[in-house]
Amino acid sequence: MKINKRNIIVASLIVALSAAVYLNWQFGDSNSLLTSSTKELGEAEYVNNEISGATPSEATLSSKQSNYFSQARTSREESQDKVVNIAKEVLEKSDSSEKAKESAEIQAEKIETYITYQTNIENLLKAKGFSDALCCITEEGCTVVVPKNDMQDDSPMIIKDVVFGQTGIDFDNITITEI
């Protein structure tokens, strides 16, 4: 079976980008965000950019969490955009084989579906009471990152139920990470 160089390059770029996103997320400096404080329902959080009733370290913690979520989302979106752009390039080149074009189209559709799922899951988790959430979906499963102070006894089941409801991913393939 003849393997086209372009197919190998596209596949290796997709694998490399996926690995880079995963490693960046996995080895990010999130250990400094751990805290033992708990959140109560109805507690006011922000008033004039200060956390009401919070110590300066809690205000810093919330700021670091917010930065983590925004940076992680940006990184995830950039990686997904790169893969989609590579797929578009393959589709636009007239000398690409039909098999390569088909593969690129499938990959682009899959990423578009993942983006929709990720956004829906993040929004639903916020509606369920989490202050923020980050969802990363791969072919192997789903990882959801939430603030540690939002976690309650029933939170893992709520998160897994939301992910399963949107994607159909088995509970065993859903990972929850607290920061």
Side-chain angles (χ1 to χ4, degrees):
M1 175 163 66
K2 183 178 177 184
I3 299 177
N4 192 352
K5 273 187 177 180
R6 186 169 323 213
N7 291 348
I8 294 171
I9 291 172
V10 169
S12 62
L13 284 173
I14 290 170
V15 169
L17 285 172
S18 299
V21 169
Y22 175 75
L23 291 174
N24 183 34
W25 171 78
Q26 187 69 27
F27 294 112
D29 184 26
S30 63
N31 291 338
S32 64
L33 297 177
L34 298 177
T35 183
S36 62
S37 66
T38 59
K39 182 177 179 178
E40 295 181 27
L41 285 175
E43 179 180 307
E45 285 198 30
Y46 290 101
V47 177
N48 295 331
N49 289 336
E50 295 179 12
I51 297 179
S52 174
T55 64
S57 64
E58 289 173 348
T60 304
L61 174 68
S62 180
S63 174
K64 286 181 182 178
Q65 283 178 339
S66 177
N67 288 340
Y68 169 80
F69 283 108
S70 63
Q71 289 173 352
R73 275 191 192 89
T74 302
S75 175
R76 178 188 69 195
E77 290 168 3
E78 287 174 357
S79 298
Q80 290 172 340
D81 288 345
K82 285 179 186 177
V83 174
V84 169
N85 287 336
I86 291 169
K88 285 181 183 178
E89 287 177 19
V90 171
L91 288 171
E92 291 173 355
K93 291 190 179 196
S94 60
D95 61 338
S96 296
S97 70
E98 286 303 313
K99 204 173 207 177
K101 288 181 180 181
E102 211 173 287
S103 174
E105 187 175 325
I106 289 169
Q107 188 67 27
E109 288 173 2
K110 189 182 298 184
I111 289 174
E112 183 180 336
T113 302
Y114 287 170
I115 290 170
T116 303
Y117 286 158
Q118 290 167 168
T119 303
N120 289 347
I121 290 167
E122 290 169 2
N123 290 336
L124 286 169
L125 290 175
K126 288 178 187 175
K128 297 272 186 182
F130 292 92
S131 60
D132 209 344
L134 178 71
C135 177
C136 297
I137 299 174
T138 64
E139 291 178 3
E140 292 80 33
C142 177
T143 301
V144 178
V145 182
V146 294
K148 183 176 183 120
N149 56 350
D150 286 356
M151 292 297 287
Q152 304 295 324
D153 291 338
D154 62 342
S155 295
M157 188 53 71
I158 291 170
I159 294 169
K160 288 183 176 194
D161 185 51
V162 168
V163 172
F164 178 77
Q166 289 295 306
T167 64
I169 295 174
D170 291 333
F171 282 26
D172 294 339
N173 296 329
I174 301 171
T175 305
I176 301 170
T177 304
E178 304 170 9
I179 62 164

mmCIF file of all heavy atoms in Angstrom, residues 44-55 58-59 62:
data_model
loop_
_atom_site.group_PDB
_atom_site.id
_atom_site.type_symbol
_atom_site.label_atom_id
_atom_site.label_comp_id
_atom_site.label_asym_id
_atom_site.label_seq_id
_atom_site.Cartn_x
_atom_site.Cartn_y
_atom_site.Cartn_z
ATOM 1 N N ALA A 44 -21.430 36.594 48.074
ATOM 2 C CA ALA A 44 -21.039 37.590 47.080
ATOM 3 C C ALA A 44 -19.569 37.401 46.758
ATOM 4 O O ALA A 44 -18.752 37.180 47.637
ATOM 5 C CB ALA A 44 -21.284 38.990 47.610
ATOM 6 N N GLU A 45 -19.241 37.477 45.481
ATOM 7 C CA GLU A 45 -17.856 37.255 45.111
ATOM 8 C C GLU A 45 -17.132 38.542 44.772
ATOM 9 O O GLU A 45 -16.142 38.862 45.376
ATOM 10 C CB GLU A 45 -17.785 36.286 43.928
ATOM 11 C CG GLU A 45 -18.062 34.876 44.341
ATOM 12 C CD GLU A 45 -17.588 33.891 43.312
ATOM 13 O OE1 GLU A 45 -16.611 34.182 42.608
ATOM 14 O OE2 GLU A 45 -18.198 32.829 43.217
ATOM 15 N N TYR A 46 -17.598 39.271 43.779
ATOM 16 C CA TYR A 46 -16.854 40.435 43.326
ATOM 17 C C TYR A 46 -17.618 41.730 43.606
ATOM 18 O O TYR A 46 -18.776 41.857 43.250
ATOM 19 C CB TYR A 46 -16.589 40.350 41.824
ATOM 20 C CG TYR A 46 -15.604 39.270 41.474
ATOM 21 C CD1 TYR A 46 -16.032 38.052 40.975
ATOM 22 C CD2 TYR A 46 -14.253 39.465 41.666
ATOM 23 C CE1 TYR A 46 -15.130 37.057 40.668
ATOM 24 C CE2 TYR A 46 -13.345 38.475 41.357
ATOM 25 C CZ TYR A 46 -13.786 37.282 40.853
ATOM 26 O OH TYR A 46 -12.891 36.303 40.550
ATOM 27 N N VAL A 47 -16.936 42.671 44.212
ATOM 28 C CA VAL A 47 -17.453 44.013 44.384
ATOM 29 C C VAL A 47 -16.275 44.943 44.142
ATOM 30 O O VAL A 47 -15.288 44.916 44.874
ATOM 31 C CB VAL A 47 -18.032 44.231 45.806
ATOM 32 C CG1 VAL A 47 -18.503 45.658 45.966
ATOM 33 C CG2 VAL A 47 -19.154 43.250 46.078
ATOM 34 N N ASN A 48 -16.352 45.734 43.096
ATOM 35 C CA ASN A 48 -15.259 46.645 42.739
ATOM 36 C C ASN A 48 -13.922 45.909 42.613
ATOM 37 O O ASN A 48 -12.905 46.311 43.167
ATOM 38 C CB ASN A 48 -15.131 47.777 43.753
ATOM 39 C CG ASN A 48 -16.340 48.653 43.755
ATOM 40 O OD1 ASN A 48 -17.014 48.790 42.734
ATOM 41 N ND2 ASN A 48 -16.650 49.240 44.891
ATOM 42 N N ASN A 49 -13.926 44.790 41.894
ATOM 43 C CA ASN A 49 -12.731 43.975 41.650
ATOM 44 C C ASN A 49 -12.110 43.396 42.903
ATOM 45 O O ASN A 49 -10.955 43.032 42.924
ATOM 46 C CB ASN A 49 -11.676 44.762 40.875
ATOM 47 C CG ASN A 49 -12.081 45.004 39.452
ATOM 48 O OD1 ASN A 49 -12.882 44.255 38.906
ATOM 49 N ND2 ASN A 49 -11.533 46.038 38.845
ATOM 50 N N GLU A 50 -12.835 43.363 44.005
ATOM 51 C CA GLU A 50 -12.343 42.734 45.215
ATOM 52 C C GLU A 50 -13.328 41.666 45.635
ATOM 53 O O GLU A 50 -14.526 41.793 45.430
ATOM 54 C CB GLU A 50 -12.207 43.765 46.343
ATOM 55 C CG GLU A 50 -11.155 44.824 46.077
ATOM 56 C CD GLU A 50 -11.070 45.833 47.206
ATOM 57 O OE1 GLU A 50 -11.643 45.587 48.280
ATOM 58 O OE2 GLU A 50 -10.451 46.863 47.000
ATOM 59 N N ILE A 51 -12.821 40.619 46.225
ATOM 60 C CA ILE A 51 -13.709 39.567 46.706
ATOM 61 C C ILE A 51 -14.202 39.979 48.083
ATOM 62 O O ILE A 51 -13.413 40.224 48.985
ATOM 63 C CB ILE A 51 -12.986 38.216 46.758
ATOM 64 C CG1 ILE A 51 -12.562 37.824 45.346
ATOM 65 C CG2 ILE A 51 -13.851 37.156 47.382
ATOM 66 C CD1 ILE A 51 -11.815 36.522 45.276
ATOM 67 N N SER A 52 -15.506 40.067 48.210
ATOM 68 C CA SER A 52 -16.104 40.493 49.459
ATOM 69 C C SER A 52 -15.837 39.473 50.552
ATOM 70 O O SER A 52 -16.152 38.300 50.406
ATOM 71 C CB SER A 52 -17.614 40.662 49.256
ATOM 72 O OG SER A 52 -18.242 40.934 50.476
ATOM 73 N N GLY A 53 -15.247 39.907 51.646
ATOM 74 C CA GLY A 53 -14.995 39.031 52.774
ATOM 75 C C GLY A 53 -13.836 38.078 52.555
ATOM 76 O O GLY A 53 -13.651 37.154 53.321
ATOM 77 N N ALA A 54 -13.064 38.263 51.498
ATOM 78 C CA ALA A 54 -11.962 37.345 51.209
ATOM 79 C C ALA A 54 -10.640 37.969 51.613
ATOM 80 O O ALA A 54 -10.479 39.179 51.604
ATOM 81 C CB ALA A 54 -11.933 37.015 49.718
ATOM 82 N N THR A 55 -9.720 37.127 51.954
ATOM 83 C CA THR A 55 -8.378 37.592 52.262
ATOM 84 C C THR A 55 -7.658 37.891 50.956
ATOM 85 O O THR A 55 -8.071 37.426 49.887
ATOM 86 C CB THR A 55 -7.605 36.510 53.042
ATOM 87 O OG1 THR A 55 -7.459 35.370 52.194
ATOM 88 C CG2 THR A 55 -8.321 36.141 54.324
ATOM 89 N N GLU A 58 -6.961 34.849 48.839
ATOM 90 C CA GLU A 58 -8.098 34.299 48.119
ATOM 91 C C GLU A 58 -8.383 35.118 46.865
ATOM 92 O O GLU A 58 -8.761 34.575 45.832
ATOM 93 C CB GLU A 58 -9.337 34.247 49.016
ATOM 94 C CG GLU A 58 -9.258 33.195 50.100
ATOM 95 C CD GLU A 58 -10.416 33.273 51.072
ATOM 96 O OE1 GLU A 58 -11.160 34.293 51.045
ATOM 97 O OE2 GLU A 58 -10.593 32.332 51.860
ATOM 98 N N ALA A 59 -8.219 36.435 46.950
ATOM 99 C CA ALA A 59 -8.405 37.286 45.777
ATOM 100 C C ALA A 59 -7.371 36.941 44.715
ATOM 101 O O ALA A 59 -7.690 36.855 43.525
ATOM 102 C CB ALA A 59 -8.302 38.759 46.158
ATOM 103 N N SER A 62 -8.304 33.543 43.089
ATOM 104 C CA SER A 62 -9.362 33.668 42.095
ATOM 105 C C SER A 62 -8.815 34.274 40.805
ATOM 106 O O SER A 62 -9.178 33.854 39.719
ATOM 107 C CB SER A 62 -10.496 34.516 42.644
ATOM 108 O OG SER A 62 -11.507 34.639 41.685
#
